[in-house]
Amino acid sequence: MIPLPPHTKLARPAATLSLLAVLATGAIAARSTPAPVRLLGVSAQGNAVLIESSAPVAYAVRQPDPLTVYVELRGVSVADVAADVERRDPVTAVTLEQVAAIDGQHVARVRVALARPSDYAVRSARNTIRLELSPSASSTRAKNARSGPAQLEPLPADPVAAALASPAAAPEAAVGTEGREPTVPLTDATTLDRVHADRAGDTTTVTLSGNGRLTPTSVIESPEPPRRLLLDFANVSSKVPEQTLADALVKKVRVSSERQPASTRVSIEVAKGSTYHIARVGTDDQDLAVVFQPAQTSASMVMLPLATSEPATPEPAISLQQAMANVAAITSPAPPAAAAAAPPVPRPVARAESPLLAASRQSASRQQTTARLEVERTPQQTQPPPPPQTPSALQAGTGQKVYQGHPITLDFVGADLRAVLREFHNISGLNIIIDPAVPATPIDIQLTDIPWDQAFDTLLRTHQLGYEADGTIIRIAPLKTLEDEQKQRQTLANAKALAGVLEVRTFPLSYAKASEMQPLLVKSALSERGQIQVDPRTNVLIITDLPDRLQTAANLIGTLDKPEPQVEVEARVVQTTREFAKALGVQWGLNGRVSPALGNTTNLAFPNNGSLSGRTGQTQSPPDPSRATGTDTTATGVNLPVPGATSAIGLAMGAVNGAFNLDVALSALERQGKGRVLSTPRLTTQNNVLAEVAQGVQVPIQTVANNTTTVTFKDAVLKLIVTPQITSANTVIMLIELENATPDFSRQVNGIPPIDTQRAKTQVQVNDGATTVIGGIFVSREQLSTERTPGLYRIPLIGWLFKRDSTQDESRELLIFITPRILRG
């Protein structure tokens, strides 16, 4: 070991909450396994509780209050195991709970309820944990049980504990003794209904109650005086006014809330020197109690090893946090009974210490028979550390690293780089190997209250160094060295992978085409030495490659060479028409003569004779066949008949001598009609394959150009074109093109009829067997017309003889329906 220069100083202040978060996480954390270990059973043997799992696991034991003991097994699934423990002094009940750790891993919690305060000792052998209970002999524990609130589970006043108390970390299912129902998850509180304080001895308890489970999003101390404890609750409104307490420990409780978004902050002004912790109380532990005490208290935690008979398999590229967890997992502790009598681990001092002395002290500490941690809650700490997260992990959306090591202070002047790197063995407990390529460069460092993993990372980056973690061993080397080694390992791995004897296998395909399968296999399954040949006659793939790659290709072919389901698509085109017409018209004419032949002259020279008749060019009525002449016909004066009238009536009158004739004809028409046309094209096709069906006629169209007659044909057909795609949700996405064209020979021009066309082109998603409307057109036409003789149509009563009224109302509606059906073979 190289001693440090005389100006070197190393200090690690008691940042207790961060230290507790890091060490507790590292001590309990075990290496992740693909599947969680199962809890086999819990039974009783005398005054001991036996816990058996399917494999050795890491576990932790804690006693939150004198009548409760927790045994937590990390990476263990409770499943449907029930606790088979009878009520026998001092055990009153044993409950199994499935909870989640901060990193999301399963944790099986065995809750042992006691009838009286008891001490406990823990023994483990392979996959069996033995919890031995004995009458309590500690007066301190009894005193704390009498003065503190009963049946409380301590909750540290920091964001780590707040995260543990969140609903995400709540038990997913609680299986109790025989006859007990599983625990129902509690509803989160939306309002803070009550804040009250109680005084018991030298302890003051402030209890927060709401309409559900209160869970703080953050618990911090204000960095500015006076000393205040701040509890924030998201999505919670407040009904509590500000309160002032005449108490030596709590001066004031102030509650403030925001509406948009809803949030509530509880600010508790705390006396200097007082300590506190947070516990859950009330029905189903839905309320929060903040317990204040005048003197500092300590919390102890027993870290127990991962008992296993097989050495752990090293994993490359593990994180620094995992390495810290491995250090804690292999520490050999003694039972808690021995830990109570053993002296605590000495706290670090703010002075320089040589690596040789540090290594000696570390070696001596590892030979202790206890792993007990004494953690003080210092009221002077004004800013609690952030919640524990994976070290050096990137924050989402920020690209910044997050460090979680306990704070340290470093002050080196002219220190050797290799000696400083070795000092991190004493700081973190990691086994450190320094590559010979790392230079012994003198460095100057001055850091104050910096997380040790951040200081370690920054030191390595400053000198272009990196590290590799293997279990609890950290190897430090230049980045270039690590990069070259990684390339060499990759080259060696590739060479080993490509080494071997090539084999030839044939793969006949049933549904897929060999030519289409070939490029997929080349990119996804074959090695650099692999080759594929295709026999299109038999649809067979001939593959030459290494045995493991041939197996990969076989698995891929088995997945892809499957029959595609078919889709039957049915369309319905519905056309409806409604027509109504009504018309009323009139025709009348007259013929009057003044003539000497008739003897009705005027006896004047001028005018002596004359005639009066209509001038529309129409004759009102045919001549009377009984008369010898046709002079009795009348010329039409008002010609407003109904075209195509189906009803008409006429009236003709005349003088005896034929001097005046009058003829009137009334015509009327009323027509109503309804029509419906249904077209149903249907087709079946494979998944993702275009299909078309059509039916109709082709209309010839002649064109003449340069004395040349050309005949072209225009389709007038009902046509359906569909490309279906079956989804994993049992729905069908269809690209649809539907056209319904019919010739209308009633309106032909030069023998060429116009084509009445309805068309829809769209893409829709429809459930299997469901029907949807993909298109529709509604056309309505209403027409009212009046034709009349100016002026005369206004004559009362007889004005209708001088006008024609007609009404037409027509509507047309088009609806297109589509129905897909998946046909599975």
Side-chain angles (χ1 to χ4, degrees):
M1 302 291 289
I2 302 176
L4 299 176
H7 295 288
T8 303
K9 180 173 64 176
L10 174 65
R12 283 181 288 176
T16 57
L17 297 182
S18 295
L19 181 61
L20 175 60
V22 173
L23 292 183
T25 303
I28 301 175
R31 181 165 308 190
S32 301
T33 57
V37 180
R38 293 180 296 104
L39 186 65
L40 299 181
V42 179
S43 58
Q45 185 178 24
N47 64 339
V49 177
L50 300 181
I51 306 171
E52 186 177 1
S53 58
S54 59
V57 296
Y59 61 93
V61 183
R62 58 191 179 95
Q63 189 169 13
D65 59 77
L67 300 180
T68 306
V69 176
Y70 287 122
V71 180
E72 297 178 341
L73 295 79
R74 184 172 177 84
V76 177
S77 174
V78 173
D80 56 351
V81 177
D84 186 18
V85 179
E86 62 180 357
R87 296 186 178 182
R88 182 175 181 180
D89 186 75
V91 178
T92 60
V94 175
T95 304
L96 306 182
E97 299 176 354
Q98 186 73 66
V99 299
I102 298 176
D103 57 358
Q105 191 170 10
H106 291 288
V107 174
R109 176 185 292 172
V110 181
R111 183 198 299 261
V112 181
L114 307 177
R116 50 186 171 81
S118 304
D119 290 333
Y120 64 86
V122 182
R123 303 287 187 271
S124 64
R126 296 186 61 80
N127 59 336
T128 302
I129 302 172
R130 179 183 179 91
L131 176 67
E132 299 178 354
L133 302 169
S134 59
S136 176
S138 174
S139 59
T140 302
R141 179 174 301 175
K143 178 180 178 181
N144 292 338
R146 290 192 301 270
S147 61
Q151 302 296 334
L152 299 182
E153 181 177 346
L155 195 64
D158 59 318
V160 177
L164 289 174
S166 64
E172 297 175 359
V175 181
T177 56
E178 198 169 345
R180 181 173 179 179
E181 296 294 332
T183 302
V184 179
L186 298 176
T187 303
D188 291 339
T190 58
T191 60
L192 178 63
D193 297 331
R194 185 185 177 206
V195 176
H196 65 280
D198 297 321
R199 178 78 175 180
D202 59 351
T203 300
T204 300
T205 303
V206 177
T207 305
L208 310 179
S209 303
N211 61 349
R213 184 183 180 93
L214 283 172
T215 302
T217 55
S218 66
V219 181
I220 62 174
E221 279 196 19
S222 173
E224 300 176 358
R227 186 185 178 203
R228 290 173 297 157
L229 176 63
L230 305 177
L231 296 90
D232 292 330
F233 300 86
N235 300 321
V236 175
S237 58
S238 173
K239 300 180 180 179
V240 180
E242 179 175 338
Q243 301 183 24
T244 301
L245 306 178
D247 189 90
L249 301 178
V250 180
K251 303 297 184 181
K252 182 185 297 184
V253 178
R254 183 177 181 272
V255 179
S256 59
S257 61
E258 298 289 341
R259 292 187 179 180
Q260 296 295 336
S263 63
T264 297
R265 165 169 286 189
V266 178
S267 175
I268 305 176
E269 186 173 339
V270 187
K272 294 182 179 180
S274 63
T275 61
Y276 57 86
H277 68 272
I278 301 178
R280 288 205 173 276
V281 295
T283 305
D284 296 330
D285 294 339
Q286 68 179 10
D287 300 337
L288 288 181
V290 187
V291 183
F292 298 87
Q293 294 177 335
Q296 297 183 4
T297 59
S298 62
S300 62
M301 180 178 294
V302 179
M303 303 301 174
L304 294 158
L306 174 64
T308 177
S309 59
E310 299 179 359
T313 303
E315 296 183 5
I318 66 174
S319 64
L320 193 59
Q321 179 73 7
Q322 182 63 51
M324 295 167 56
N326 295 339
V327 170
I330 64 173
T331 306
S332 300
V345 178
R347 297 174 56 185
V349 295
R351 61 181 178 85
E353 187 178 45
S354 68
L356 182 60
L357 294 177
S360 175
R361 178 180 58 80
Q362 182 71 12
S363 176
S365 65
R366 290 193 176 184
Q367 295 175 1
Q368 297 289 335
T369 60
T370 178
R372 184 168 181 249
L373 285 176
E374 293 292 335
V375 181
E376 295 185 356
R377 301 188 183 276
T378 56
Q380 292 77 11
Q381 182 179 355
T382 60
Q383 183 65 30
Q389 302 175 8
T390 303
S392 302
L394 292 179
Q395 289 182 342
T398 62
Q400 297 180 354
K401 293 182 179 180
V402 178
Y403 300 96
Q404 302 168 345
H406 56 270
I408 63 172
T409 297
L410 301 177
D411 189 0
F412 295 105
V413 178
D416 186 274
L417 173 61
R418 300 172 66 92
V420 174
L421 292 175
R422 285 196 300 270
E423 187 60 30
F424 278 94
H425 166 73
N426 301 329
I427 297 174
S428 64
L430 299 173
N431 299 311
I432 294 180
I433 297 177
I434 301 177
D435 191 91
V438 176
T441 305
I443 61 173
D444 296 340
I445 300 178
Q446 187 172 5
L447 302 175
T448 303
D449 289 340
I450 298 297
W452 73 262
D453 49 350
Q454 181 180 7
F456 182 71
D457 188 32
T458 304
L459 181 62
L460 294 182
R461 285 189 287 108
T462 302
H463 297 277
Q464 291 79 45
L465 301 177
Y467 70 89
E468 288 182 335
D470 184 3
T472 63
I473 300 177
I474 299 296
R475 174 175 171 264
I476 302 173
L479 294 175
K480 181 63 175 176
T481 301
L482 296 176
E483 181 181 358
D484 293 342
E485 292 178 355
Q486 180 63 27
K487 291 181 179 179
Q488 293 175 5
R489 284 193 292 266
Q490 185 65 36
T491 301
L492 180 60
N494 293 339
K496 290 182 178 179
L498 295 178
V501 179
L502 298 180
E503 296 182 2
V504 179
R505 288 183 59 182
T506 59
F507 297 91
L509 303 182
S510 300
Y511 306 99
K513 292 183 179 180
S515 58
E516 297 178 356
M517 186 76 71
Q518 180 182 8
L520 297 177
L521 295 175
V522 171
K523 293 182 179 180
S524 303
L526 299 190
S527 67
E528 297 178 359
R529 300 174 61 189
Q531 294 180 353
I532 295 183
Q533 293 179 339
V534 176
D535 182 10
R537 183 180 63 85
T538 58
N539 200 32
V540 172
L541 291 173
I542 305 172
I543 304 179
T544 304
D545 209 335
L546 299 171
D548 58 335
R549 296 303 181 96
L550 289 176
Q551 185 59 40
T552 303
N555 296 337
L556 185 58
I557 291 174
T559 302
L560 299 179
D561 189 27
K562 292 182 178 180
E564 284 289 333
Q566 299 185 132
V567 180
E568 178 189 53
V569 180
E570 177 184 355
R572 290 192 294 276
V573 182
V574 181
Q575 303 175 70
T576 61
T577 59
R578 183 180 65 86
E579 182 181 4
F580 174 79
K582 182 175 68 174
L584 179 63
V586 62
Q587 281 180 295
W588 62 272
L590 57 86
N591 188 3
R593 292 179 298 163
V594 177
S595 172
L598 298 177
N600 59 350
T601 61
T602 61
N603 297 322
L604 297 175
F606 180 84
N608 181 263
N609 58 66
S611 65
L612 176 65
S613 63
R615 290 293 189 269
T616 62
Q618 302 290 330
T619 57
Q620 183 64 22
S621 61
D624 188 354
S626 64
R627 303 288 294 270
T629 65
T631 58
D632 58 343
T633 61
T634 59
T636 302
V638 176
N639 188 23
L640 296 174
V642 175
T646 58
S647 301
I649 187 172
L651 175 64
M653 295 179 292
V656 174
N657 57 1
F660 184 80
N661 295 314
L662 177 64
D663 188 276
V664 179
L666 296 177
S667 58
L669 171 68
E670 184 170 335
R671 182 176 65 251
Q672 184 176 359
K674 294 183 179 179
R676 180 175 179 267
V677 179
L678 175 62
S679 305
T680 308
R682 180 183 301 176
L683 56 81
T684 302
T685 182
Q686 284 191 340
N687 186 28
N688 289 315
V689 177
L690 184 143
E692 177 181 351
V693 62
Q695 182 269 333
V697 298
Q698 288 184 324
V699 178
I701 300 175
Q702 291 185 356
T703 58
V704 179
N706 298 326
N707 296 323
T708 301
T709 302
T710 304
V711 179
T712 59
F713 291 88
K714 173 66 177 178
D715 290 337
V717 298
L718 173 63
K719 180 171 60 177
L720 174 64
I721 303 175
V722 179
T723 303
Q725 176 185 346
I726 303 174
T727 68
S728 59
N730 205 35
T731 62
V732 181
I733 299 175
M734 295 175 290
L735 182 61
I736 304 171
E737 184 175 353
L738 178 64
E739 181 178 347
N740 184 24
T742 57
D744 187 359
F745 289 97
S746 63
R747 296 180 295 168
Q748 59 184 344
V749 178
N750 296 327
I752 301 175
I755 297 177
D756 187 8
T757 303
Q758 296 93 31
R759 182 184 297 111
K761 185 176 182 180
T762 183
Q763 180 173 349
V764 294
Q765 178 175 342
V766 186
N767 292 332
D768 179 23
T771 300
T772 186
V773 178
I774 65 171
I777 299 175
F778 179 79
V779 179
S780 178
R781 184 177 63 181
E782 183 176 354
Q783 183 176 356
L784 301 175
S785 64
T786 301
E787 299 174 72
R788 55 205 177 192
T789 302
L792 299 180
Y793 78 95
R794 299 179 182 272
I795 300 175
L797 299 179
I798 64 172
W800 57 273
L801 293 174
F802 300 94
K803 63 181 180 179
R804 177 174 60 189
D805 294 330
S806 62
T807 301
Q808 290 185 349
D809 187 2
E810 180 183 0
S811 63
R812 303 177 63 186
E813 186 174 5
L814 171 68
L815 291 177
I816 303 175
F817 300 87
I818 199 78
T819 304
R821 297 181 181 90
I822 301 176
L823 306 178
R824 304 186 186 276

